[in-house]
Structure formats: structure tokens, C-alpha cells
Amino acid sequence: PLPPRIASGLRGVGTWMATSAKFFAVYSEPFWRQAGLSGEGFSGDGPLGEVHDAGQEGGAHGVLFGFFRLGPSERRRVGPEGLRERCLAQLAAMFGDRADSPLTTHLEDWSCEGPSGDDEQGRWTCTQEDVRRELRGHPRYSTFPALLLPADSGEVAVLGDGDSAAAVGEGRA
């Protein structure tokens, strides 16, 4: 386990991207490439703030994925089916009508994992505090004195931004 002052300090640091969500759309082929499009895009209007071509070069399928720019409270208000419809409409506006008819889609919402959401698999990506804070930037660990160790302390602390602060203090990370 971490030294108590570090574990306590971590509880005060938000988990970067804990409230993020991704949307995936899988197509029979990467039709956007055939049209000379990269599959990349950024938006301040649609539900997805950024979109990327996630398919393999020469792969059997085309895959577009994007990170939501909508926060967890708005995503929950709209609901999974509403989000799917909005994402497909955005992809169609960006890459053409064929984007509206994927083989399958998948929504991965990290704000639903752990004690803040409805995850039943025991993952602790997001805490209730992360949802309350809804970070929009990377935490600056250097601003939390409890996380800094004197060079001659003989201690080593390894801090990563992929584990929930609450889980670290309880030995689950």
C-alpha cells in the first residue's frame, strides 16, 4: 500500500478522463478512405468532440471512433439510444450517408464504471468525486504537496493517471 499521506493526497486529485466516453461504429469497409477522407475530425457542435479512423490499414472492416464532448450528466439525460442516433447523424454529416448505417456500434462510458455508475464488473475507472468535478484538463500532480517526496526520503512513489484515486488508497489499483 501507499504511504497514508500519499494515499490521502491522491483522493484529492481528479482522475484524468474518468468521466470520458467513446463511441465506435464498425462498417463493412473504410468507405471514407475510398472517398479520399482521413476519418479524422474535430467538432464543437456534435456529440463527439473528436473522431478518428480506428481501422487497420488493409483490415476487413472500417472503424470510426470518437470521444464525446458531452459530459456524463448530459449523456445520461440523452440515453444510449439517443447518443447512438446523434453520433451516427454526426458521422454521416462528416463522412457521408454511408456512415449512418454501420454493422454495429459500441458505447464505452467510463463514468458508469465503479461506485459512481452502474458497472457490475467491479471496475473503478470513475468515482463520484470525478463525476462531480468533471475534469476538462489533465490534473497537475505537482500542485498537490502530499504527492511530492523529498529526494532523500528513500521512498519511491509511482503515480499514474489511469487509476481511480479512491481505488489507489484502498489497494485496488
Side-chain angles (χ1 to χ4, degrees):
L2 291 173
R5 75 179 168 85
I6 293 177
S8 174
L10 278 175
R11 287 189 188 96
V13 179
T15 307
W16 171 237
M17 295 189 75
T19 60
S20 296
K22 296 190 283 188
F23 179 80
F24 296 84
V26 179
Y27 301 92
S28 60
E29 60 184 354
F31 58 85
W32 54 92
R33 292 182 197 156
Q34 297 162 359
L37 300 174
S38 67
E40 307 288 318
F42 297 88
S43 173
D45 293 326
L48 301 172
E50 59 183 86
V51 176
H52 303 279
D53 180 341
Q56 294 180 337
E57 191 66 41
H61 294 95
V63 181
L64 292 172
F65 99 92
F67 285 106
F68 280 89
R69 67 174 193 82
L70 306 178
S73 58
E74 188 168 357
R75 290 193 309 267
R76 285 187 178 146
R77 184 183 61 74
V78 173
E81 189 54 37
L83 291 171
R84 181 182 186 280
E85 290 172 9
R86 289 181 183 190
C87 288
L88 292 178
Q90 179 180 356
L91 293 175
M94 295 173 76
F95 303 108
D97 291 341
R98 290 182 67 188
D100 195 34
S101 302
L103 298 173
T104 188
T105 62
H106 178 71
L107 170 65
E108 184 69 29
D109 190 340
W110 296 326
S111 73
C112 295
E113 296 179 0
S116 66
D118 54 12
D119 184 301
E120 296 177 9
Q121 298 178 27
R123 296 175 291 190
W124 286 72
T125 302
C126 187
T127 67
Q128 291 176 352
E129 184 66 11
D130 289 322
V131 171
R132 186 189 68 74
R133 284 189 188 127
E134 205 167 315
L135 284 177
R136 294 293 186 186
H138 201 286
R140 295 182 52 89
Y141 297 112
S142 63
T143 63
F144 294 89
L147 302 180
L148 302 178
L149 298 173
D152 61 354
S153 71
E155 297 178 279
V156 175
V158 178
L159 305 174
D161 59 9
D163 296 318
S164 162
V168 170
E170 297 171 17
R172 292 191 307 272

